Amino acid sequence: MNDFASIYALACEQHQGFENVKKRLPPVVSAKELRSRSDAWYLSLMMRRVFRAGLNHAWVDSRWHFFERAFFDFDPDKLVLMSDEMFDARMEDENLIRHHGKMHAIRINAQLVREIRGEYGSVGELLAQWPTTDGVMLWELFRKRGKHLGGLSAPAFLRMAGWDAWMPTSHVRAALVARAIIPHALTSLRDRQAAQEAINGWAEESGWPIAHISQLLAMTIG
């Protein structure tokens, strides 16, 4: 069945009760808290997600204070003024994760943050204003205008920030396929929007945050 009650019951069955399910539900923060954070905070988080992709998350996190020191605490106004010489010097820093493409994305995504500030006032204001029922198009904004923010990176960044985002993971995809919401993948925009619509429906039915619906779906699989 495709109703929320059946999804909830299966997740609880797979994980030996609601208390175990509850421990894995991601935090979702208020619009006020989203607005309260600086653009530098969001850029640092965004880039930490970029560097986490394909690497051990705890290891990346353990190196992050070196990145903050090397890149002006991710102040976007300072980063866009970095010369190539300054950038090349940081590529020689053994304390950093010296992935050229991801390092190059720092300056590009700093410019994206500045553009968002010009359009919305701040990244926090963008997230506070954007309807959580249309997360797919927010991913598209970051994917198209940023660097290394495709795939899971944009939704993972939003989830890390506490925005009410669903995650297009393999487990969520499998749960959606099992319920005939999508045919076999989440590669097309049409399929992602179909998934969003279904998750929105379960959120409305249950009163649960979209991020929690997403996690429940994943837990029905594994």
Side-chain angles (χ1 to χ4, degrees), residues 41-54:
W41 186 91
Y42 281 111
L43 181 58
S44 177
L45 193 72
M46 182 188 300
M47 291 312 308
R48 185 149 56 94
R49 165 55 208 175
V50 167
F51 276 89
R52 276 181 170 190

Side-chain angles (χ1 to χ4, degrees), residues 11-31:
C12 289
E13 179 184 338
Q14 294 275 58
H15 294 271
Q16 293 77 53
F18 176 67
E19 287 305 313
N20 290 326
V21 168
K22 184 179 178 181
K23 292 174 185 176
R24 296 179 61 180
L25 297 177
V28 177
V29 305
S30 67

Side-chain angles (χ1 to χ4, degrees), residues 51-186:
F51 276 89
R52 276 181 170 190
L55 296 174
N56 179 277
H57 292 186
W59 180 67
V60 173
D61 293 350
S62 74
R63 313 305 294 170
W64 207 247
H65 65 285
F66 293 118
F67 275 88
E68 291 181 329
R69 185 174 65 191
F71 290 100
F72 312 111
D73 289 320
F74 287 91
D75 182 326
D77 296 318
K78 293 179 180 178
L79 288 172
V80 297
L81 296 176
M82 275 188 73
S83 67
D84 290 340
E85 290 76 19
M86 293 174 71
F87 178 79
D88 290 342
R90 283 152 178 78
M91 281 298 298
E92 301 300 320
D93 188 340
E94 294 183 356
N95 289 315
L96 305 178
I97 302 166
R98 293 175 292 175
H99 183 294
H100 188 275
K102 293 181 179 182
M103 291 273 272
H104 182 60
I106 293 173
R107 290 187 293 182
I108 295 173
N109 289 337
Q111 182 57 38
L112 169 61
V113 166
R114 282 164 51 89
E115 291 170 2
I116 289 172
R117 182 198 302 159
E119 296 166 26
Y120 293 91
S122 68
V123 176
E125 188 63 35
L126 165 67
L127 300 187
Q129 289 183 22
W130 199 281
T132 58
T133 52
D134 194 20
V136 168
M137 295 312 296
L138 185 56
W139 306 348
E140 286 292 290
L141 183 155
F142 285 107
R143 181 186 68 81
K144 289 180 177 179
R145 297 174 58 179
K147 188 74 172 177
H148 282 284
L149 292 173
L152 288 176
S153 286
F157 155 63
L158 294 169
R159 178 69 69 80
M160 289 166 69
W163 196 77
D164 192 11
W166 66 281
M167 289 287 292
T169 63
S170 59
H171 281 175
V172 170
R173 182 182 70 239
L176 293 167
V177 170
R179 288 162 179 78
I181 304 299
I182 57 172
H184 53 78
L186 281 165

